Amino acid sequence: MSLPLEGLSAIVTGAGRGLGRTEALELARLGAAVVVNDYGQPGRDGSGGASTGPAEEVAAEIRAAGGRALVHTGDVSDHRQARELVESAIGAFGKLDILVNNAGILRDRMVFSMSEDEWDSVIRVHLKGHFNTIRFASAHWRERSKTAGAPVYGRIVNTSSEAFLAGSAGQPNYAAAKGGIVGLTTSSAQALARYGVTANVICPRARTRMTEDVFAGLARPEQGPDPLAPEHVAPLVGYLASPAAGHVNGQLLVVHGGMVAIVERPRVQAQFDTKQDAFTYDELDGLLTPYYADRPQGETFAATEVLGLRKRNDTA
C-alpha cells in the first residue's frame, strides 16, 4: 500500500527543533522527500551563530528510517536565501509539492519598552519569512500549472498562534506577526486555488523552547503522554499536506494533544445604524456607551480562554 505523500517533496522551515522537527519527521514517515531547513541559531531570540547541526540531525533521522532528506541552513527572512531554499528542493527532487512554514524567534517586551530592532526582527523572521518562501514556491506552482495547462499539486501549511486571537501582553511583535500570517494565508489561498494550491494555517499548542514561558506552570504528566508534546501537532500538518485535504483551503485550525478546533472567521456581534444621514458623536455616545457599560468590566475578545488555554503572563 502506498503512503499518502509518496512521490511528493516538501520543505519544512525551522525544522531543526521542536514543532518543525516533528513535522519534518511526520512528512517523511508519510512518504515525502523533505528539505530540512533550519538556520541553527541556539537562542530562541535568534542569537548565536548559525549551525548546520540541528538540521543535519533531523535529516539523519529521516535517512535512518529509510526516507530522503536534504539539508538547507539558509535564513528564510532573507529574500535571496528563501529563493535558494525553494530552488534546492526543485533541483534535488524535480519539483516542490509541500511548503510548511514554521521558522520563528521571540523577543518579548511590553509595548512601551520594545525597541525598534525587537519589533523588526520578529516581524522579519515570522511574517517576512513566511512571505519569502510562499513567494517563490507559488511562482513555481504557477509556472508548472501554466505549462501543464491544468492545476498542479501544491500545499502550504503556515504557523500562527492563538496570541493573535486574544493578544499577548508581552508579545506585541509576535502577536502582530502571527496575525499577519493569518492574513497572508487567506490571501494566498484565494490567489493560488486556481493553480491547484491550498494554503492553511495552524495555531499549535506545544511544549518547545519557544513556549517554555507559556507552559511553565503546566508540568509534564508523570505517566502517560504529554498533551503538549509537539508530536501531537505533526499529524495535522501531514493531513493538510496530503491529497485527502484537497478541499481544505484558507482554514485556521487550533491543534494540540487530542484536539483540533476549526476557527471560523469573526462574526458581527452587534450592529447600530444611524437614524440620520451620518453618525454624530452624540448619537454614537448614546448607542455605544450603554452597550459597553452593560458588558462585564474588562471583557475582551479572548478566544484562548474559550478554547481553554491559560493566559500568558506579562513579560517585562
Side-chain angles (χ1 to χ4, degrees):
M1 189 171 95
S2 63
L3 296 170
L5 304 184
E6 189 171 332
L8 302 178
S9 64
I11 289 172
V12 182
T13 72
R17 303 178 179 92
L19 280 170
R21 172 184 172 276
T22 62
E23 292 164 356
L25 293 173
E26 177 70 3
L27 295 184
R29 188 188 69 80
L30 295 176
V34 181
V35 180
V36 179
N37 165 263
D38 199 284
Y39 202 41
Q41 292 173 304
R44 67 175 189 167
D45 61 352
S47 61
S51 168
T52 62
E56 291 284 5
E57 290 175 9
V58 175
E61 286 188 68
I62 292 173
R63 296 182 190 120
R68 300 172 65 195
L70 175 72
V71 169
H72 186 277
T73 56
D75 178 3
V76 294
S77 70
D78 180 276
H79 205 60
R80 177 185 58 81
Q81 293 181 58
R83 181 182 68 240
E84 292 172 353
L85 169 59
V86 172
E87 290 174 347
S88 71
I90 298 168
F93 306 125
K95 59 184 174 61
L96 174 65
D97 302 294
I98 300 160
L99 171 64
V100 179
N101 282 308
N102 190 69
I105 63 171
L106 290 179
R107 293 195 180 176
D108 294 355
R109 193 82 63 188
M110 297 298 283
V111 69
F112 44 76
S113 304
M114 181 165 287
S115 70
E116 183 180 14
D117 180 66
E118 287 168 337
W119 173 270
D120 288 347
S121 60
V122 169
I123 298 296
R124 184 180 68 249
V125 175
H126 285 274
L127 184 52
K128 186 181 178 185
H130 273 62
F131 161 72
N132 283 344
T133 55
I134 292 172
R135 161 64 178 85
F136 296 109
S138 62
H140 166 66
W141 289 320
R142 179 174 179 267
E143 187 59 33
R144 281 176 52 201
S145 178
K146 289 173 63 178
T147 299
V152 296
Y153 190 101
R155 299 285 187 270
I156 299 170
V157 182
N158 290 331
T159 305
S160 183
S161 167
E162 289 169 288
F164 105 90
L165 283 167
S168 183
Q171 297 180 307
N173 47 4
Y174 179 78
K178 290 306 190 182
I181 287 168
V182 175
L184 173 62
T185 303
T186 54
S187 177
S188 299
Q190 293 184 27
L192 301 177
R194 71 182 69 180
Y195 305 115
V197 180
T198 66
N200 295 287
V201 57
I202 64 171
C203 292
R205 302 180 199 167
R207 197 189 306 277
T208 69
R209 66 174 185 157
M210 290 278 288
T211 60
E212 58 188 17
D213 296 336
V214 179
F215 301 120
L218 300 175
R220 291 177 175 84
E222 294 182 3
Q223 296 181 344
D226 181 2
L228 293 173
E231 286 77 9
H232 291 296
V233 175
L236 177 61
V237 174
Y239 168 75
L240 292 173
S242 75
H247 296 293
V248 182
N249 194 28
Q251 298 297 299
L252 170 64
L253 303 100
V254 176
V255 55
H256 77 296
M259 185 206 78
V260 173
I262 301 170
V263 180
E264 66 181 357
R265 296 186 180 187
R267 295 182 297 171
V268 175
Q269 184 177 73
Q271 179 175 326
F272 302 94
D273 298 303
T274 182
K275 296 179 181 180
Q276 308 168 81
D277 292 334
F279 273 116
T280 64
Y281 169 86
D282 289 336
E283 186 180 13
L284 289 170
D285 181 29
L287 292 170
L288 298 182
T289 300
Y291 173 77
Y292 283 108
D294 290 339
R295 294 168 65 87
Q297 187 174 4
E299 181 181 339
T300 59
F301 177 65
T304 50
E305 291 182 336
V306 172
L307 293 172
L309 180 65
R310 181 179 62 85
K311 276 189 174 181
R312 185 185 188 280
N313 292 330
D314 292 354
T315 302

